[in-house]
Amino acid sequence: MLRIHFTAEDLGRVRVLPEPDPMWETVFSIFRLQERGPSLVFHEWRRAVALACSPEDLAMLRALVPGGYFPDFLTPSEGQFGLDAGIEALLSTPRSRFRAELGILAGRHRLPSWTRQLADGDRETVQRLADAIRGHFRSAVEPYWQQAQAHIDADRARRARAYLDGGTEGLLSSYLPMMRWSSPVLSVDVQQEQDVHLNGRGLVLVPSFISMSTPDFLHDSALPQVLVYPVEHSVPVSAAAPAPRISLAPLIGDTRTAVLESIGEGSSTTELARRVGVSAASISQHTAVLRSAGLIRTGRVGKAVLHTLTPLGDALLKRGLATVA
């Protein structure tokens, strides 16, 4: 159990990132490739990435991400600003931090000899690690970025409504069952016991597309605090070629097209009825059809029933040429 303790100041300093962190996604991709057993969502992804990635890059990263603990220097907070910023932060890691975090890893796993050079901050070895991260990101993460962003947009719509309805405490409460908010503590089921006191630093919530089934966090509680959580997947992950643009109305009808276009970042049944110009009962019928087709997701946020686009619905809407007049 991870228990994150908030102060009143911390509640005003909670953020949800608008996109995945490429450094975290790259690390999670290593875990996914080592995952045993069937995975309906990631089966096609694992097969494609195993063929596309560099064996040398993968071997280097697997040595540092063998399962369980991995060094925090692989996921610097600067990664939230993009891959280049994350890699620049990695290249600037102090030697003392390389040594300390690799020491923790060596206490749990047998490490290859080249990690001694990394622990000494050898620039050539550090650069080789940075190149491996960049190369693996391009093979395992970048081709799926559009899918990842669509899933995270859907998740953010739900979180935004929860925040509007209940403030930061409403946002934190929306993460059930993966996290449990009981003021002033956010409890997260993880594989070890840890208490983190934010003490005014705030918390960055990082949505992840490739993450495993539970949230992840930094081992060193003195670092800027992030909590990385998995978003829901509505379809299997695959690197599909862009589909041709289509007209939606002949496929799903004018009213359902209008409903999709009106959902935006998330809308209630009453809001949709007002925007589309039909009764709430009619909206309920149309949303039931769209939901059964996998184009929208309906969930309760507080007392409201909220409709949001799924990644499939968002992609279909973006490909549609015709809009309802």
Side-chain angles (χ1 to χ4, degrees):
M1 179 72 69
L2 167 67
R3 290 171 291 272
I4 303 176
H5 300 260
F6 288 71
T7 65
E9 184 179 1
D10 293 312
L11 288 174
R13 302 185 66 185
V14 174
R15 293 190 299 124
V16 182
L17 291 191
E19 60 183 13
D21 182 313
M23 301 294 280
W24 278 97
E25 296 299 276
T26 302
V27 167
F28 289 142
S29 74
I30 303 299
F31 279 109
R32 281 288 182 190
L33 286 172
Q34 299 178 92
E35 188 178 20
R36 296 183 179 180
S39 173
L40 295 179
V41 172
F42 281 91
H43 175 73
E44 186 175 337
W45 174 89
R46 285 164 59 183
R47 183 171 55 184
V49 170
L51 294 173
C53 68
S54 160
E56 292 78 15
D57 292 345
L58 184 58
M60 188 173 205
L61 295 175
R62 275 180 170 167
L64 299 178
V65 189
Y69 171 82
F70 60 88
D72 289 334
F73 61 71
L74 292 173
T75 54
S77 60
E78 291 83 354
Q80 65 185 277
F81 303 113
L83 182 66
D84 289 342
I87 287 180
E88 185 61 34
L90 171 67
L91 292 171
S92 302
T93 302
R95 180 187 305 176
S96 58
R97 187 171 168 194
F98 278 130
R99 185 172 296 134
E101 295 181 10
L102 287 170
I104 296 173
L105 187 61
R108 307 181 184 196
H109 301 276
R110 186 173 182 177
L111 300 182
S113 59
W114 61 263
T115 58
R116 298 193 192 98
Q117 284 76 49
L118 184 61
D120 289 336
D122 176 71
R123 300 317 301 167
E124 184 176 341
T125 307
V126 176
Q127 184 63 59
R128 174 69 189 93
L129 174 59
D131 292 343
I133 290 174
R134 188 182 295 278
H136 192 72
F137 171 83
R138 288 173 174 166
S139 299
V141 180
E142 190 172 45
Y144 308 88
W145 198 258
Q146 185 175 355
Q147 285 185 71
Q149 190 62 62
H151 281 75
I152 284 165
D153 287 345
D155 180 82
R156 276 175 59 83
R158 177 184 175 191
R159 307 307 169 194
R161 178 55 68 101
Y163 178 80
L164 289 173
D165 288 348
T168 303
E169 296 205 38
L171 168 66
L172 295 174
S173 297
S174 75
Y175 285 101
L176 275 171
M178 74 173 85
M179 312 177 204
R180 295 176 298 283
W181 171 251
S182 179
S183 184
V185 179
L186 182 66
S187 299
V188 187
D189 290 322
V190 294
Q191 294 181 350
Q192 64 189 71
E193 287 286 323
Q194 185 169 347
D195 283 88
V196 174
H197 294 266
L198 296 177
N199 296 325
R201 291 174 295 168
L203 180 69
V204 177
L205 293 160
V206 184
S208 171
F209 181 61
I210 304 180
S211 170
M212 305 297 274
S213 58
T214 58
D216 287 86
F217 60 102
L218 296 170
H219 183 268
D220 186 351
S221 61
L223 293 170
Q225 285 303 295
V226 302
L227 188 62
V228 189
Y229 67 92
V231 297
E232 293 182 10
H233 292 79
S234 57
V235 293
V237 178
S238 62
R245 292 179 68 82
I246 56 175
S247 176
L248 292 185
L251 291 175
I252 63 174
D254 289 346
T255 303
R256 286 172 195 157
T257 299
V259 171
L260 278 183
E261 292 177 335
S262 300
I263 283 177
E265 295 298 310
S267 299
S268 68
T269 299
T270 302
E271 290 168 340
L272 287 175
R274 185 176 63 251
R275 293 170 189 168
V276 178
V278 299
S279 68
S282 178
I283 288 294
S284 295
Q285 293 175 355
H286 289 300
T287 53
V289 173
L290 294 171
R291 185 167 53 251
S292 66
L295 300 180
I296 69 170
R297 181 182 293 116
T298 301
R300 185 168 293 279
V301 177
K303 296 181 179 179
V305 174
L306 184 69
H307 306 287
T308 57
L309 294 173
T310 65
L312 179 61
D314 182 65
L316 184 64
L317 190 60
K318 288 177 179 176
R319 291 168 185 162
L321 286 174
T323 58
V324 176

